[in-house]
Amino acid sequence: MDLEIGWILLGLPLAFAAGWLASRLDLRQLRIENRQAPKAYFRGLNYLLNEQQDKAIDAFIEAVQRDPDTSELHFALGNLFRRRGEYDRAVRVHEHLLSRADLSETDRHRAQHALALDFLKAGLLDRAEDALRKLEGTAHAEPARLALLAIYERSREWSHASAVAQSLQAEGPARFDNRLAHYLCEEAQAHQQGGDEGAAIDCLRRAIDTAPQVARPRLQLAALQRDAGRAHEAWSTLRALAENCPQALALAAPLVRAVGLAVGEEADARRLLEQANKDSPSIDLVEALVQLDLQIGRPPAQAQQRYLDHLERQPSLIAAARWLAGQQGSPQAVAAPVCRAVEHASRPLSRYRCAACGFEAREHFWQCPGCQAWDSYPPRRLEEI
């Protein structure tokens, strides 16, 4: 009995010493790992600052392997994968974060938003829409709605886009009246293509009420009325356009000329075009006036004089090319090669340019095909900007 107690008394200090030694070894190993993990993390940051994304990803992967519970490293790694276009790897990182039970609610919402951006960048619009809808009521709700708005615009789901824009407008200081008017114009265009003229007109009138300062609804409505044989209604719409959106009259100049002639209001049409051209000279307004003069029987020389008057106010290769083209039948006809050279030089200047991204196009767009911005095309040719 005494012998057993002796062994116990001897074993207790040995067990204590072994435990203490093991704890010291564990602490030493932990300190080593903790020193190594920050080194990998800061090495990754250094590579990132030097725009060495491949090496940064390798360093962050090493840091994540050493400290798999650090959510910030996962976010950094997922964002790097998305920036590099490796969307499948970014999705896996963010889905792994969402699967963790110990993730805080704030980080869970953040991971959900990052996952939605992964799907959006990858072009998986349906999955992006589902992921963004789960962010309703969170701190990421507003950017999620803006992303949803972009999705609905890209997929041309105008009724859904209108609902999202209205919710954004109701809950924030930003105004979406112009966009809502454009959405209604897009719906009107779809109704018109489907043969439902009444629904198209209803959409356009709602668009005018929503944003009276936007030119597109009245311009589109006047064209629809003209095509339907209701020239007098179209003329009233164009008069309202000139009163509310005079800066956009250059876009409507051919329509003003045609409808004015159709309703016998040539003098009024000329007055509208001349006043608009006086306020803001435009080759489109000059061209409409020249064509109007020719159609009511004025001598070609008098009509062509408008190009020279325009050139006196501002230099214009487009006006010069059109004046030269009108001189071909006269005794002072300019040589054809000169006309072709001036016409060729003026052609790029007749384009429209997006003020947001610089995308150039031969026709005017209400939404830029390049950057998707609305109302970013001035109603003036590149030469006149």
Side-chain angles (χ1 to χ4, degrees):
M1 187 69 175
D2 293 338
L3 183 61
E4 292 179 0
I5 293 174
W7 278 109
I8 291 173
L9 292 175
L10 180 63
L12 283 174
L14 291 176
F16 176 78
W20 179 84
L21 183 60
S23 67
R24 297 299 297 173
L25 290 174
D26 288 342
L27 287 173
R28 183 167 177 265
Q29 181 64 27
L30 183 61
R31 282 197 296 268
I32 292 173
E33 291 179 355
N34 286 338
R35 283 197 299 268
Q36 289 176 343
K39 285 182 180 178
Y41 177 72
F42 289 119
R43 190 165 64 250
L45 285 179
N46 183 53
Y47 288 137
L48 193 58
L49 291 172
N50 291 319
E51 298 184 357
Q52 297 176 284
Q53 293 189 10
D54 292 337
K55 292 183 178 180
I57 286 175
D58 293 338
F60 283 137
I61 289 175
E62 179 186 345
V64 167
Q65 289 173 343
R66 294 183 182 279
D67 190 6
D69 295 330
T70 304
S71 58
E72 288 299 329
L73 290 175
H74 285 79
F75 282 121
L77 193 56
N79 291 338
L80 271 176
F81 283 143
R82 189 194 312 130
R83 287 175 58 184
R84 280 178 50 85
E86 298 181 47
Y87 304 120
D88 55 339
R89 300 180 75 181
V91 166
R92 286 201 298 270
V93 169
H94 293 131
E95 284 182 338
H96 171 70
L97 275 172
L98 287 171
S99 67
R100 284 173 47 179
D102 62 335
L103 200 65
S104 68
E105 185 178 7
T106 300
D107 282 346
R108 187 170 300 279
H109 295 159
R110 183 180 170 191
Q112 183 68 37
H113 183 246
L115 181 63
L117 292 181
D118 296 338
F119 290 140
L120 191 59
K121 290 291 186 180
L124 303 173
L125 300 186
D126 291 341
R127 299 184 69 180
E129 180 183 356
D130 292 338
L132 289 167
R133 286 194 172 279
K134 293 177 182 178
L135 291 168
E136 194 65 35
T138 71
H140 300 275
E142 185 174 350
R145 286 178 186 168
L146 289 171
L148 276 173
L149 196 62
I151 289 174
Y152 292 141
E153 287 182 0
R154 285 174 62 181
S155 57
R156 305 185 67 81
E157 298 179 57
W158 304 115
S159 58
H160 292 323
S162 295
V164 173
Q166 287 170 357
S167 67
L168 283 167
Q169 183 165 281
E171 297 183 10
R175 302 297 302 174
F176 289 83
D177 294 337
N178 289 16
R179 282 201 188 190
L180 289 168
H182 283 297
Y183 298 159
L184 287 166
C185 288
E186 294 287 349
E187 290 186 44
Q189 191 171 336
H191 287 309
Q192 189 176 358
Q193 292 171 351
D196 193 346
E197 181 184 316
I201 291 176
D202 178 64
C203 285
L204 292 172
R205 294 200 183 280
R206 285 162 51 203
I208 293 171
D209 293 337
T210 300
Q213 73 281 2
V214 176
R216 183 184 181 183
R218 288 190 174 91
L219 186 55
Q220 200 167 320
L221 178 59
L224 191 154
Q225 291 167 333
R226 189 273 310 269
D227 294 341
R230 299 197 294 272
H232 286 87
E233 294 181 19
W235 182 246
S236 298
T237 303
L238 289 171
R239 291 289 302 273
L241 173 69
E243 293 174 7
N244 291 273
C245 315
Q247 72 282 357
L249 206 58
L251 297 174
L255 192 59
V256 170
R257 173 185 59 80
V259 175
L261 284 171
V263 298
E265 296 286 354
E266 299 91 344
D268 200 16
R270 184 186 299 107
R271 182 188 62 79
L272 286 177
L273 294 171
E274 286 178 342
Q275 183 61 46
N277 192 53
K278 180 181 178 181
D279 296 338
S280 182
S282 166
I283 189 60
D284 293 299
L285 294 167
V286 173
E287 178 68 20
L289 285 165
V290 170
Q291 295 300 320
L292 183 59
D293 287 343
L294 292 174
Q295 287 177 306
I296 63 176
R298 281 198 174 184
Q302 291 184 14
Q304 294 286 321
Q305 181 64 32
R306 291 188 181 274
Y307 291 129
L308 297 178
D309 295 340
H310 184 71
L311 284 167
E312 288 182 0
R313 296 185 64 183
Q314 63 181 43
S316 170
L317 267 179
I318 302 173
R322 292 181 183 177
W323 180 82
L324 289 173
Q327 304 305 305
Q328 291 302 296
S330 66
Q332 299 84 15
V334 183
V338 175
C339 292
R340 287 197 298 271
V342 176
E343 173 66 26
H344 179 75
S346 67
R347 200 171 297 152
L349 300 175
S350 65
R351 297 174 180 169
Y352 297 94
R353 176 188 288 169
C354 174
C357 70
F359 187 92
E360 294 182 8
R362 293 182 181 178
E363 60 180 296
H364 181 273
F365 286 102
W366 300 106
Q367 185 185 26
C368 176
C371 65
Q372 307 299 310
W374 291 97
D375 291 321
S376 60
Y377 276 84
R380 305 177 65 78
R381 306 283 179 175
L382 185 58
E383 182 184 61
E384 300 164 344
I385 296 177

